[in-house]
Amino acid sequence: MENFAESVNLDFKYDGEDVLVLKDINISFKQGEMTAVLGHNGCGKSTLAKHLNAILLPSGGTVYIDGIDTKDENRIYDIRQRVGMVFQNPDNQIVATIVEEDVAFALENLGVQSDEIRRRVDEALKAVGMYEYRMHAPHQLSGGQKQRVAIAGIIAMRPRCIVLDEPTAMLDPKGRAEVMKTVKELNSKYGITIILITHYMEEAAQCGRIIVMDRGKVLMDNSPKQVFSRVEELKAVGLDVPQVTELVYELNKYGLKLDTHIINENECCDALLKLLS
Amino acid sequence: MAILKTEELTYVYSQGTPFEKTAVDHVSLEIEKGEFVGVIGHTGSGKSTLIQHFNGLLKPTSGKIYLDGEDIWADKTKIRQVRFKVGLVFQYPEYQIFEDTVYKDIAFGPKNMKLSENEIDGRVRRTAVSVGLTEDILNKSPFELSGGQKRRVAIAGVMAMEPEVLILDEPTAGLDPKGRDMILSQISHYHKTTGCTVLLVSHSMEDVAKFASKILVMNDSKVFCYDKTAEVFKRTEEISSMGLSVPQIARVFNILKNKGLSFDEEVYTVKYAKELIIRELKKRGKI
């Protein structure tokens, strides 16, 4: 797999400020990867995300998207067509007065044929479970429903990579599960590269890779099993682990010797059954 | 005695339009004084509409609400007093901060209650401490603070009115795990020290499981159940089927039960799971 996105010695600070928000970040994302980015509020993870479709440009170092330097102003639309972003607050992302028109907005701007627009809009709305609401006005929808419409708008553009910045923070568990299912499908069916910023450890556990950030730096970059086995370090930077991992950690603290790489329910059940039988 | 009581409470949005929707449907409920109630339900289940009735922000389409035994709509001119007794913290309350210092923002509610300067000062300082804000922050502009700090300022503003009932609508939404734990433990501490009644609306059964003594589950505009936390967790399968998520640890013990390993009590927190497993291991002579 080739690198789809790459940052080389990336530094970033806001205009007129001395503090570096990002410090010497060197990471790459392969085409088709699904990565979670964790870190407490203010650690720099959203700032990093905004470098991936040239909303922010590096103060030092370089970011490449599909081989394009994000500082190349002439290619900004090429970058944004390749990388779609979904933000936390859906109210800031919806522009039209009818759901299906909102989903079609970007496609119209890109000059896609109208029958193709119809097809893609319907497909995108079905993918997020909002097809029945296609004729509704966005203000009549709940926060969760609006977020799914915003995601549909991105999906309809068929980008190669989607960066989602806490997309499920405002959703209920059902909405969250639907968004995660949709995102995972986009990754497995269409090979879309997914970068998911989240505070939900169970969502991160479903990704192939986890990056943990702290104070503008990459603290860990590994598989979920490896990352979540470092319970104390994660707690020290204000993060958490899945409940099953925490139970194993607590039992081991008591003196048991369970596998510290347990991150899902089935693994935990098997371990407990073995322990008690 | 019940501090809050509803009788056949019903609320219909956009009555007479194509978008008419019954958001709360004949809800009869009694909430005891001093209880810590977790309120859960999926988006659109009616939980936010219901709690907005408790301090008179919404007027029922039909049915009644009693606070301390009195019908809150019996005398419309007294509704302002109801709002002092029942404090409501909305979702993302930090967007409602408007004063130029943290001190003034927290003092806004008590000022409206026409309390003395001394009393206001005491309350502002007390509540600031109880939500973990330091003295030096009081004179800062709220807009210099982090998101988590702003949220705590907004919560302190409602606590400073010392309401008998404190209702919080998803107070931890969007916070990182550390910020979430901090706010929840501060609310729990406030509940223990003041003895007030707390209603915590949350999507997170994990948070609710840790703190609530009773849980109200709303579904399809109706009360699905209102019972002690342990009793509600006996119905995890039904709760999952209505689109709510039960804590991961409860799911694990459900699978164990299906595999023939069951325990007398419901398990819904990590702490309790640990105790239980150690007890079982000792019982079986394994440690």
Side-chain angles (χ1 to χ4, degrees), chain A residues 125-192:
Chain A
L125 282 169
K126 280 175 190 163
V128 298
M130 288 299 294
Y131 185 67
E132 289 160 51
Y133 292 85
R134 64 193 181 281
M135 299 306 283
H136 276 62
H139 75 266
Q140 288 164 338
L141 305 179
S142 71
Q145 290 171 325
K146 280 188 248 187
Q147 186 64 309
R148 277 142 71 192
V149 172
I151 293 175
I154 299 295
I155 295 170
M157 290 205 298
R158 301 268 166 83
R160 290 189 41 202
C161 172
I162 304 180
V163 180
L164 303 106
D165 193 351
E166 293 185 43
T168 60
M170 298 173 87
L171 307 194
D172 66 5
K174 193 177 166 201
R176 235 157 53 208
E178 280 170 12
V179 168
M180 277 307 286
K181 183 170 168 273
T182 308
V183 169
K184 276 158 66 182
E185 254 173 40
L186 293 171
N187 177 254
S188 59
K189 264 195 202 160
Y190 304 101
I192 296 176

Side-chain angles (χ1 to χ4, degrees), chain B residues 106-125:
Chain B
I106 301 176
F108 183 78
K111 246 185 193 163
N112 275 335
M113 295 170 79
K114 307 228 181 329
L115 299 173
S116 72
E117 283 295 326
N118 254 341
E119 176 65 21
I120 293 174
D121 188 66
R123 286 192 181 194
V124 170
R125 292 178 196 281

Side-chain angles (χ1 to χ4, degrees), chain A residues 75-84 101-114 116-117 120-121 152-160:
Chain A
R75 310 278 317 263
I76 195 142
Y77 286 101
D78 293 328
I79 292 168
R80 294 203 176 143
Q81 211 178 329
R82 284 168 171 76
V83 183
E101 285 176 14
D102 191 79
V103 178
F105 182 77
L107 299 181
E108 284 169 345
N109 284 348
L110 293 171
V112 176
Q113 294 285 325
S114 65
E116 174 71 7
I117 291 182
R120 285 206 210 173
V121 166
I154 299 295
I155 295 170
M157 290 205 298
R158 301 268 166 83
R160 290 189 41 202

Side-chain angles (χ1 to χ4, degrees), chain A residues 218-231:
Chain A
V218 173
L219 192 68
M220 301 180 203
D221 181 356
N222 216 322
S223 69
K225 280 188 182 302
Q226 294 300 332
V227 168
F228 285 133
S229 68
R230 295 161 72 176
V231 178

Side-chain angles (χ1 to χ4, degrees), chain B residues 271-284:
Chain B
K271 199 172 150 223
Y272 186 64
K274 179 189 177 183
E275 286 169 20
L276 186 76
I277 285 168
I278 290 171
R279 210 164 65 210
E280 283 296 317
L281 285 171
K282 281 183 179 161
K283 211 159 76 185
R284 291 164 199 228

Side-chain angles (χ1 to χ4, degrees), chain B residues 130-145:
Chain B
S130 66
V131 297
L133 297 168
T134 48
E135 191 83 7
D136 59 304
I137 280 179
L138 289 177
N139 292 318
K140 280 193 177 176
S141 159
F143 303 101
E144 288 172 45
L145 307 182

Side-chain angles (χ1 to χ4, degrees), chain B residues 1 4 21 39 78 80 98 187 190-191 234 238 271 277 281:
Chain B
M1 194 192 115
L4 274 174
K21 183 175 171 12
V39 183
K78 286 192 180 153
R80 194 173 154 83
F98 59 92
I187 292 167
Y190 180 84
H191 169 249
K234 283 185 182 154
E238 287 166 276
K271 199 172 150 223
I277 285 168
L281 285 171

